[in-house]
Structure formats: structure tokens, C-alpha cells
Amino acid sequence: MLPRSIYFGWSTERATADDGQVRWHRASDLAAYRGDLLRAVRRQWRIEETRRRLADPTPIPVRWRRVPAGLAVQDHAINVFGAAERDAATPGSGTIDDLAALLRGLPSMRLVILGEPGAGKTTAAIRLLLDLTAEPRAGEPVPVLVSIGSWQPHRQDLRRWLAGALAADFPALGSATTDGSTIATALLDEGSLLPIIDGLDELPAAARSTAIVAINAALHRGDSLVLTCRTSEYVAAVGDADTVTAAAVVQLQPLGLPALTAYLPRTAKPRPDLSTTWDEPLATLRRQADRQLLRVLRTPLMTSLAREAYSDTGADPAELLDEQRFARAEDIEAHLLDRALPTAYREAGDRVARWFATLAGMLDRGGTYDVAWWRLFRSGSRGINAAAGAAVGAVAAAVLSAAAVPRALLDVAFTLAAAAVGALIGVRQPATPSTVRLSLSAGLRRWRPGAMTARPRLRIGAAGWLAGLVAVVVLVGVRAGWTAALVGAAAVGVVRALDAWLDVPADLGVVASPISLLRSDRTAALTRAVLRGALLGTVAGLLTGPELAAAVGVAAFVASAGLTAWWRFTFARLAYALAGRLPFRLMAFLDDAAVRGVLRQVGSVYQFRHARLQDRLAGRRLSADDTAAVPPLDDDVPESSTPFPATGPVVVILTALEVEYQAVVAHLLDVRTVVHEAGTLFEVGMLAGCSRRVAVAVVGEGNQTTAVVTERAAALLQPDVVLFSGIAGALQGDIQLGDVVVGTRVYSYHSGKATSDGFAARPRAWDAPHRLEQRARHVSRNGGWHRLLPDPARPPVVHFKPIAAGEVVLADRDSAHAALLRRHYDDAAVVEMESAGLARAAHLRGDLPALVIRGVSDRADEGKTAADRAGWQRTAAANAAAFALGLVIELPAEV
């Protein structure tokens, strides 16, 4: 999270131009700028350190271990250390207090910090920044911490994004220099900043590899960098792209009993004999080191939750050792997560818990962890969205008809029609925060031919403009003649054209806070509404008289303000507040929750302090062994030291997305983690009614990654069968959303040759193994797999058809890729991005049966976003997982 902006002054000479823009006479004198920025950054994060209680009374003693260059997640040792790794002078392990010394000892001052969920990556980044600024060295770059979530690496240059993000946090950095750039850009270009980029894993899976490539491309010789990421996500991203050039890689280690013993007693109030409530539980853990509690407390997240639940309240943590109450590690974890709200809101009771449960449920249905106020209620009740739009349409129509329609029956019909149009827009048209920013260049960009291509969701929004145009033409035509009606229609067109300059979407990547974004959108909404109402009302008055002028002006004001993100959010939050499901002052509540530590602010959105807290509040099941410690990623743990229990044959199920992985692992029992030497993680568990173990991995999107992970799974686990379970987009009209497609053949449709005459396809295809396909058909017919479905009474249809696999997300029926599929692969039922990699890897091994099973989540067209928002990804993933696991159960001893 980036705290509220902090302003700082510059000591150098400056002048103000006629346009009010500050311009610097000595833009090259960056030493003075660095000094002011250094003090501002330290002040900023010292405030945040106190707010997060990172040093109260002492930091959690998290340790790290350097990852050897030979494990394929780090650049060559000579590039990282300037020498062979065995000759490197940098330490191989230490605490987070030693990270500053490690970074300063690297020739490039580039570092990647890895860790599992809850391992303390962001905390380590904050501590690193504070240590670097506590005793700055001459000429050393100033560390600045930014969250990566707003970066779009396929569209934005790294330096441009960084400059914008920094200017949002420190507005003075956005001031212009004499050469037309900004101070932030000048500091970056001079190598005067050390970007600490937090959360590579927050980017979509397909963007992480692109981000690494973009980072390497943007780094000049001598540029410094720190990057944080979850371990498995980073391993997958590096596998698809490259390592971060010249960067050392360290992994945060789980907390051990000595670290817990040194930390937890210091957080509790001492008794008269100087003992604490933690002494007895920790003594028990020393005697019985296999207790579930130790497995839970190995992550700083759970340790901090335990500290808040017991040290801060005086409650007795000995209850966590009750094996009847807490038989499994996940039971303890759920208990600690459940205590988070009562601890933060001791005075509020069930009311606040109900509000947070509503909020978490909305995010869960929307498939996001971002509390973005402008999207929050899109995943809520369609009735509320429809009511918001209908209210706007009805009020606007009622005002117009009262002034211009003499008959009550026509008045009612006109109002009902407008309400229906408003309801349609409220349900179907997404709203985006805007700002009023008079910009000629922005207007021209929005009106260029390529930007005006109509899309279905834009046509829905255009329905409101069309309805308004018809109303103005009819009313003015009846009152003043059809020539006047044409003038009125032209006025509506002028108002719409002005939106290209007055309705510029806000740059969400450089907004200081969610509250400031809401205020900006409210100002923009009211400004547009006043201008539209005044212009259309004036025209109507000149044409027809004052009575209709007032009605047109009021109707235009209501319609303009009422279909904005601000109005829909206001309407919906009031509706939820009246129902008791959310507070009336929702934004103030969210900001207070961030202060209390339940939420955290990340740019223009809020998030729960950890994804697991949101999942718990939303009622989602915790994974059976999420708290198991993952073996360290180092050469002291070779492949053979991660023993795989030889209790029976194995089936590997690969997935690309988290929603697909969760759909499979939700059916598994006694789940444990197995790690390939290159870092790929497999969750291995048992399936009820099956002697085979099931190993699940998330490979990320793309055929290349899938092929690599397939080979690693085959080498490490030696499976009998490899399946791919996931979602796909339908290409044929007879396949419905939620149906299951079993791939009888896999096409690699990107294979071919680009010539002057166009693309010449060179099809590559792999047929499904006959025995495996026949067994899948048998499973489909007997229906035993239906019991694994979320709704066994309504099983989906299973199709046995070819599948097309490429390297792009197909979301447009008129695209070149769609035309290619229709021309050369017209029998393909669905399209996706991983099956060719699986089929290719299995083919090269020669003895590895592989089959692809896909649930249909969309139609591979412009409606993909709407289908995803409606929850079809989760439904399709659950259906595919159910069929895949049903097939596993019925596999014969010899496949």
C-alpha cells in the first residue's frame, strides 16, 4: 500500500511560467532533489511502519536464504556477483535486517525477494527501504517503494509508469523541468532512484513474463532494482521469459521454533514473575515439535494474527493446543482468521462482521481481490443495478413528459419506456471513473477512426443517448416544428462530442487514493451534468420557450449524473446500507478498516490484508494443507531430498489458472507439497474412492510453460497419466456455457508460414490416446462423475471433439485469429492456450498418456468479459475438474 501523498520542497532555484507550471532553471542539479526526496521517503515509510506495527516491540525475525544461480531462477553468477558464486563475498543467508547489506554488496544493486503467501515479502521490502534511508551513502540512489498492480507491461514503458506512480505519491515529482520532462523522469534517467517494485504476482499470469522482459529492456547499466514475488509465480514467469538481469534472488524462509520463542513472548504483557501467556504453549511445542500449531505459525501472517488475537487481548493461546478442537492445521488457521475482526473491532460485534462478509462475498463473486468502488456492485444484485438505471430514466422522462405531454396515458408510457432503457444500461453498461480535464490531444485520440469501432457494451451505453435524442426531436418537433427538432438533435450531438474533451477516463495507475478518485469522479459527473443541462436547456428555450427549457435542462442533468460510476456507487451503497448489509458511510468505513489493519490501500483500491482473510469471510474452503511449509528453494534440498511417498500410482492434473486449481484441489484429502528442484510446486493428495494419488500444479498460461511443467512432472512424479483440466472458449454454436469438452485431437493453430500472400497454415496435431479416450467416453456414459459436480442434479453435456491451442486469448469473432480457426480448423470445438504444450511434451516422451478436459466458460467473442463477470469461469472449472477426477477414479490398473 502507498500512503497518502507527502509534499516536499526543493532547495534549488525555480520560476513559475505564465501558464502556472513550475519550471526548473537547474534541472540537472539533482543532488538537491535527491536529498529532499530521501527525507520525504523515510518520513513516509516510518509513518507506515508504525501503522503496520512492524517494529512493535521488534520486527518478526524472518530469515532469508540466497538462491544459487544454478536453479534457473537467477542470472549467471558472474553477472550477479562479478565472480563465480563460490567466490562471491556476499552472505548466503541472514535476517531481513541484513538485506540492505546484501543489496549494497551486489555490483548491480539488483535483488529479487521471493516467498510463499504470507511470508512477509512486503514487510521485507519496507524494512529494506528504511534501512537504506537510515544511513544513506553518498551517491547512492534513493529507494522508492511502489506496488506493481497498476502496471500494464504490454502497454506501458516501465520508466513512464514509474514516473507516473511516483508523481501520484509525491506530487512535486510531477513538476516539469526545462526540457519538458518531469522531475521523476529526470531522477530515473540519471539513475538517482532505486525502485522497489512490490508484488509481481499481483499481475495477471500472462503479464508476468512480459513484465520481466520489459524490466530487463528498461534497465541501463548501473540501474538498481528490487522486485518481490511469490515463489511459484516467479518460477513460472522466469520459465516463460528470462531471469531479471544481474539480480540476486533470495527466498524468505518459514519461521522456526527458535524465532517464535524469541518473538512472541516479547509481544505479551509480562506477569509478576516475568513469564507470559506464550511460555506454556511454546514449551509444549519444544517437547512436541510435530504439533499443528507450529506448522501454522511458520508464516509471519499467521504469527501476526496470533499476536493480535492473544498478546494484544490478554487471551490464553494455550487453547490453540487443544487437539480435539483443532485437529488439523487449517482449523487453527481458520480460527486465527476468524479472530481478526473481533480483535480489530472489539466494540462493534456482529454488525461489522456482517459488513465485511458482504464485502468479501461481492469480491469473491467478481473474481477479484481489489475493493474498487466503481466495480464493487457490478458483482452484486442485478436488481440494484437495474433499479439505479431505472430511477434515472424514470425521473428524467417524468420531468420531460410533465412539461410537454398533455395526456396522462402517454406520460405513463413515456416514463415506463425510459425506465426500461435506464434499467438496461444499469445492468449491462460498466461505469469507469472519470475526471474533467480539458485535453485537445485526448479528445483527438478518442475520436480517431480506430477508437470509434463499435462494441456491444458501447452500443448498450449508446441506447441512452439514442433515447435522449429521440425524446428531444419528438418534443421539440411537436412544439416548434421539425426544423427546430433538427436543431435540437444537433445540440445533442454537440453535447456528445464535448465528452471527448470533458469525459477523459482517470488514470487509475496514478491516483493517490480511492477516496480522491471518488471525489474526482463526482466532480466530473456534476460538471458534465451542469454543462449538458445548461446547453440543452438553453437550446430548447430558444426553440420552444422557458417551460420546456427547464424540463429539458433538468432531464439532461439527471440523465447525465445518474449513469456515472459515482451515482451508481452512491445508489447501490445506500440500498445495501438500508438493508443493513453495508454501512452508510462506506468509504469512511473502508479507510478506517485500513487504519485498523483489516484492509490495506494499494493505489486506487483497497484490499484485505491478505487474500486468505477475504476467502475466509466469503465462506470459501481453506485448502487442506495450505499451512504446510514449502521446502526451501536452494541446492541443499535436491530433488531426492523431497521424498515422494510410494503408496500407489499417480495422476498429474495440470491447470493454468487459480480458479482451475482450486476446483481440483477442493476434492483432495491429506494434501502435501512436493517441490521440483527448479521450484515447480505440486500439491499431492488423495481422492476418495481412488487408490491413485493426484498431483496438481498451476502452470500459468501458455503452451511453452505447460510443456516444461509436464516434463518436470513426468521426471519427478512418474505419473501413469497427465490430464489438463481448465476452461476454454467455445467456437461452435451447439456448445453451451458450462459444457465439458474432451479433446479427441489437439491442434497447434499458430504453426505456419507468413508470406506476402498471407498466412500459410502448417497444421500440427496430436490425437488423444485411444485407450484414454475410450475410458473417458465410458465415464461420460455411466454418469458416476456427477456426484463431484457442484449441482449433481444438473450435469453438463460432455462433447468429444478437437481442441485448438494457441498463444492468444480469443475475445473477438472478427479477429484474424478467429478467421484462421474457421478457415483451417473448423472442426475445433473450443480454443485455449495450453493443450499444445501438453500434447507435444507427452508425444516426445512417447510413454505418457495425456488428455485435455475443458469446461466452456465463454464463446471466445466480445462477450467474454460479461461471461467471466457472471461467474462462468468458476462453473466451467468445477465441471471440468469433476469430469477429470471422475475419470481418475475409473482408470484401470493398467492405462
Side-chain angles (χ1 to χ4, degrees), residues 76 90 92 149 293 326 346 380 443 473 492 515 518 578 617 723 745 751 781 794 835 847 858 864 866 874:
H76 300 288
T90 54
L293 178 58
F326 304 111
R346 301 182 192 181
V473 169
V492 174
I515 292 178
L518 177 61
L578 291 172
L617 290 170
L723 305 178
R745 178 178 299 138
S751 300
R781 288 192 296 268
R794 302 175 62 184
S835 296
D847 58 349
D858 58 77
K864 175 177 172 54
R874 183 164 297 167

Side-chain angles (χ1 to χ4, degrees), residues 359 376-377 569 573 582-591:
L359 186 64
L376 184 59
F377 296 100
F569 169 77
R573 74 171 176 81
L582 287 174
F584 278 95
R585 300 183 64 209
L586 179 56
M587 294 303 291
F589 171 74
L590 296 177
D591 190 60

